[in-house]
Amino acid sequence: MTLEKILQMGLRRTGLSASSDAYMGNALDYFNMGMSDVLQEREWNWALKSSTITTSASTRAYSLASDVMWPRKDSFRDQTNDTILKVIDLTETDMRDPDEDESGQQRRVVITGINSSTGYWSIDLFPTPDTSSETIAYRYYKSLADKNLANDKTTDLAADLPVWVQRGLTFYISGHFKGEKGDLQGEGQDLAIYRSIIDRNADTDAEVDDLEPSRLGRKGDDFVRPFTFEVTAGSLT
């Protein structure tokens, strides 16, 4: 659906006119609030993205992509050297390299917080890279900038939000409008519908990467979870 369609549907449930710029503006505020709430609610598989950074010799600190909500700690890979980069705590590098002068091939990632100038997530590579132009890949959960009617009114939001999130946000908008107008019962009903849509699809989203092996691994299988037999009572003889 387009942003305009979602706002119109939310207003229609409240009996308010979408021809009013004021109502459309207020509906947009609720839409952006709801969109942010959904994205921050959990680590959605549909919100997963990937990006890369490129090393620069003697440079320890790097910024991640501008739309990172939070990075996945298990996803940093040194693609140039074909290695996994484990994320460690700042205290570990403080103890190992207090003056931050150790250099070499990067083996660890330290998440250092939000850059106060850019607002982007920042990381340190440890040791400080001694080689330029090496590629570090990572995955993260995306954030979305607030939408606006000037640029996004007729934009199909399929690239940003699943259809069920869009549908849920129509009830989020109408529920908050009803509460604003004093209809607390209507607010509760619409927000309950919104919540049921999000919760129902959260279960489905969680199952996307919840792969449970249904058989024991065969020789040559590359991606079968390890298993062991343990006799807890009696014997196998």
Side-chain angles (χ1 to χ4, degrees), residues 10-72:
L11 287 171
R12 192 160 63 238
R13 284 191 57 82
T14 66
L16 298 175
S17 174
S19 62
S20 166
D21 290 342
Y23 288 149
M24 285 290 280
N26 290 343
L28 177 65
D29 290 340
Y30 287 135
F31 172 88
N32 284 324
M33 185 169 68
M35 180 176 67
S36 179
D37 284 350
V38 170
L39 283 166
Q40 294 181 57
E41 186 166 311
R42 58 180 288 128
E43 294 178 342
W44 298 102
N45 283 303
W46 56 264
L48 193 61
K49 294 183 67 175
S50 61
S51 188
T52 61
I53 58 177
T54 302
T55 63
S56 179
S58 302
T59 300
R60 189 182 187 99
Y62 298 85
S63 288
L64 302 184
S66 60
D67 64 340
V68 174
M69 177 79 75
W70 46 69
R72 277 194 64 140

Side-chain angles (χ1 to χ4, degrees), residues 51-54 59-66 68 76 112-125 136 138:
S51 188
T52 61
I53 58 177
T54 302
T59 300
R60 189 182 187 99
Y62 298 85
S63 288
L64 302 184
S66 60
V68 174
F76 288 86
T112 56
I114 302 294
N115 185 296
S116 59
S117 298
T118 64
Y120 302 165
W121 279 94
S122 298
I123 64 167
D124 283 356
L125 295 179
I136 309 300
Y138 62 95

